[in-house]
Amino acid sequence: MASDKKDDVPTVADARSPSIDDVIGEKAPVVAADARELYELYHRSDERDVDTAEAKRVLRKVDWRILPMLFMTYFLQFLDKSGINYASVYGLQKGTHLHGQDYSWLGSIFYFGYLAAQFPAGYLMQRLPMAKVTGVSILGWGIIMITTPACVSFAGIAVNRFLLGALEGVVNPAFILILSMWYSTAEQPIRLESYYCTNGIATMFGGLIGYAIGHITSGLPQWMYVFLIFGSLSIFWGIVFLLVTPDLPSTANFLSPAERIVAVKRVAGNRQGIKNAKFSKRQAYQTVVDPKTWMLVIMAVAAQIPNAALTSFTSLVIQGFGFDTLGSQYLQIPGGAVHLVSTLTGGYICSRFRNVRFITMIVASTICILGSGLLVGLPNSNKWGRMVALWLCNLQSLGFSMSLTIVSSNIGGYTKKQLTGAALFVAYCVGNIIGPQTFRANEAPGYHSAYVAMLIGYCIKLLMMVCLYVYMWRVNKSRDRDVLEGRVLTEEEEKDAIERGMQDMTEIDNRGFRYAL
């Protein structure tokens, strides 16, 4: 009976939709050199058993090499893009001759650069060693940061911010791919949150640096020190990243040949493959017609519209509550702590328990709705209530970061994963372009329209989360019904599902794939 059921499971040769083939004209997957090397390494792993102790030892080595690279890079990326926030209360507008909505446009222009970089960065990462592309981008944005004090006009600093966004735009898509390359689906949430939490650490560190810079009374204008300090750190780290970070498990020099086999076999169970340098038209078509893509896109736009209040405008918002200049710096530290604790806690919960990612995201988004609702409804005289409400909104990062694991854990096929990630970050950019424009100069320091936009964004984000969860849950249930005894894949079907994943098949074609919820 099991063998009869297995006939219903598509093989590598027939697991494709005829209608898509008619449109695309692309037949069986063509495996490029790097994917072929990983695939062969995976098959060599079948020749030997990998015990639990050996797998854990390799995982520890991977953690010690990969996670510090992700951690520090993400820390600097957030710190640098938020540099104008700390500089804004120390004379940035005067020093660069900004007027009216010019400062708001600087927040948007950064994400125009980020947006412009998404598809070129994806192409480069598919064609070139991923770690090298990322390392060069870190060096580049460090140089951009350290030259910011030379900008003396809106045009100059606008170009500077555009280039900074373009170079930083490499990081998030690269990290999604790196996670899926090195870690199993169950391991990804806590690892992602371990580097994503650095946004909170960067907020706290930036607040401390901003507070310290506020005590500098001689030398250069205070706002310039923000960019000189942050830029120097990034240039140094870019060199370290280039020297230390491996491109693939199969070429990692910190692992022995036997350990590389274990590293590949550990992630083979994701049923997603690892990397394929050949662009797949079939997978591109599937990305466009997949409902998950568009739900993630709407969710990302809605999530990022409120982001300006937590990045570029935080210092000005806190000043608007009635706190002084130095207070606008150190009062950002509790918000960073909320970000740090919530992301780490959420990552631990999602790694410790199965299928609780959407529950975690929904709880975080509900708290953000509460916070933004308080910003809209509380009177201006209640400055501490509004301050606490702003701190609560820092939980938004938990929801967005978990949406990244939806891509890294639930999208199969290298081209499809890459294009879905690019679409997600295009939406991320669109939201962040819109967000600063909700801060109207003629509404300062109250910015009521911005707080209303935050509330609307969080509500739409929550609605899309629920829709995406229901869709993926129903697909899982439908596939369960097609499997013998309703829920459990047979051993042979499990092996076939992994095999198809290693041959760069998408989660749509691979009927053995199940979404991590």
Side-chain angles (χ1 to χ4, degrees):
M1 190 171 188
S3 60
D4 292 337
K5 193 65 186 176
K6 188 175 182 299
D7 291 339
D8 295 334
V9 180
T11 64
V12 174
D14 64 14
R16 55 180 180 264
S17 166
S19 61
I20 295 177
D21 288 335
D22 291 340
V23 174
I24 300 301
E26 180 178 349
K27 302 302 179 184
V30 179
V31 183
D34 50 1
R36 197 161 49 240
E37 179 183 355
L38 290 163
Y39 180 71
E40 290 170 359
L41 197 62
Y42 159 70
H43 269 287
R44 265 186 272 157
S45 70
D46 279 349
E47 299 170 5
R48 57 190 292 265
D49 292 328
V50 178
D51 61 38
T52 302
E54 187 177 22
K56 286 183 177 179
R57 186 177 70 252
V58 171
L59 176 60
R60 282 195 298 271
K61 293 185 74 169
V62 169
D63 279 341
W64 280 106
R65 176 58 65 93
I66 301 299
L67 287 184
M69 299 295 105
L70 306 185
F71 183 95
M72 192 65 186
T73 302
Y74 217 78
F75 169 82
L76 290 171
Q77 184 242 14
F78 188 85
L79 193 67
D80 288 357
K81 76 176 178 182
S82 302
I84 61 169
N85 167 49
Y86 304 107
S88 64
V89 293
Y90 289 129
L92 171 69
Q93 291 95 321
K94 182 178 179 181
T96 54
H97 301 94
L98 304 182
H99 306 283
Q101 284 293 109
D102 287 351
Y103 181 78
S104 293
W105 275 110
L106 291 185
S108 296
I109 286 168
F110 174 91
Y111 289 99
F112 277 113
Y114 203 110
L115 176 61
Q118 289 308 294
F119 288 100
Y123 178 83
L124 290 174
M125 285 188 289
Q126 190 162 27
R127 296 289 179 175
L128 300 173
M130 191 184 307
K132 304 302 182 291
V133 173
T134 308
V136 169
S137 75
I138 298 169
L139 274 175
W141 90 56
I143 293 169
I144 294 298
M145 280 294 290
I146 209 168
T147 58
T148 306
C151 300
V152 294
S153 66
F154 172 71
I157 197 168
V159 171
N160 180 277
R161 291 290 293 177
F162 181 90
L163 293 174
L164 183 67
L167 289 163
E168 291 197 16
V170 174
V171 170
N172 265 315
F175 282 13
I176 289 178
L177 298 174
I178 289 171
L179 275 181
S180 62
M181 184 185 300
W182 288 97
Y183 293 106
S184 71
T185 297
E187 294 162 355
Q188 288 172 21
I190 189 61
R191 268 78 181 179
L192 184 140
E193 298 301 349
S194 72
Y195 73 74
Y196 206 85
C197 77
T198 60
N199 287 1
I201 298 173
T203 299
M204 293 187 285
F205 179 79
L208 290 172
I209 293 294
Y211 183 78
I213 288 172
H215 291 83
I216 299 175
T217 57
S218 60
L220 297 170
Q222 289 174 318
W223 68 271
M224 293 186 178
Y225 287 106
V226 173
F227 300 101
L228 294 175
I229 294 170
F230 294 177
S232 299
L233 290 172
S234 292
I235 291 172
F236 170 76
W237 184 250
I239 296 170
V240 174
F241 193 96
L242 281 169
L243 294 175
V244 172
T245 309
D247 293 300
L248 291 167
S250 58
T251 59
N253 58 14
F254 71 95
L255 298 175
S256 68
E259 288 171 336
R260 292 172 197 167
I261 293 174
V262 175
V264 171
K265 188 166 186 177
R266 276 186 1 89
V267 298
N270 293 351
R271 307 172 189 178
Q272 297 171 302
I274 296 181
K275 184 177 180 182
N276 190 346
K278 178 178 173 57
F279 182 85
S280 169
K281 293 179 182 178
R282 173 188 176 79
Q283 292 186 19
Y285 178 83
Q286 287 187 344
T287 303
V288 173
V289 300
D290 188 352
K292 299 194 301 296
T293 302
W294 302 108
M295 284 185 263
L296 284 166
V297 163
I298 296 171
M299 193 165 72
V301 172
Q304 295 310 310
I305 288 175
N307 198 44
L310 304 176
T311 53
S312 302
F313 283 85
T314 315
S315 297
L316 297 177
V317 166
I318 294 174
Q319 271 194 329
F321 291 163
F323 296 97
D324 61 17
T325 299
L326 291 178
S328 72
Q329 302 298 294
Y330 64 73
L331 284 173
Q332 296 183 54
I333 295 174
V338 170
H339 182 127
L340 173 64
V341 173
S342 65
T343 49
L344 286 179
T345 302
Y348 172 77
I349 290 171
C350 293
S351 292
R352 180 68 178 80
F353 303 100
R354 290 189 61 196
N355 292 334
V356 295
R357 299 185 195 192
F358 277 94
I359 294 173
T360 303
M361 292 163 66
I362 288 169
V363 169
S365 294
T366 302
I367 294 173
C368 289
I369 290 172
L370 172 64
S372 57
L374 291 172
L375 287 173
V376 172
L378 287 176
N380 293 336
S381 58
N382 190 348
K383 67 178 185 179
W384 279 108
R386 292 163 70 82
M387 190 71 251
V388 171
L390 184 65
W391 290 338
L392 290 178
C393 291
N394 280 274
L395 270 87
Q396 80 164 40
S397 294
L398 174 58
F400 181 72
S401 59
M402 277 296 149
S403 73
L404 301 183
T405 72
I406 300 302
V407 177
S408 65
S409 300
N410 289 308
I411 306 297
Y414 190 79
T415 297
K416 188 171 189 292
K417 184 191 295 290
Q418 193 173 55
L419 290 178
T420 303
L424 180 66
F425 285 108
V426 166
Y428 169 88
C429 294
V430 170
N432 277 291
I433 288 168
I434 296 170
Q437 301 309 312
T438 66
F439 284 83
R440 309 300 301 172
N442 59 5
E443 291 186 353
Y447 298 122
H448 182 74
S449 296
Y451 302 142
V452 171
M454 290 174 68
L455 178 58
I456 294 171
Y458 288 138
C459 290
I460 295 173
K461 174 186 175 182
L462 179 60
L463 176 62
M464 284 299 102
M465 280 180 188
V466 174
C467 291
L468 183 60
Y469 171 76
V470 171
Y471 174 81
M472 294 167 69
W473 179 84
R474 291 187 67 182
V475 171
N476 279 357
K477 290 298 179 183
S478 175
R479 290 184 175 181
D480 284 344
R481 285 194 295 269
D482 292 338
V483 174
L484 185 64
E485 298 178 353
R487 291 182 180 273
V488 182
L489 292 175
T490 68
E491 184 177 346
E492 287 186 358
E493 288 166 339
E494 287 277 6
K495 188 172 182 179
D496 282 349
I498 294 172
E499 175 79 16
R500 290 194 293 273
M502 288 304 296
Q503 291 199 15
D504 199 40
M505 189 170 288
T506 69
E507 80 285 2
I508 294 174
D509 289 334
N510 188 352
R511 300 292 295 177
F513 189 93
R514 296 295 182 272
Y515 294 118
L517 303 175

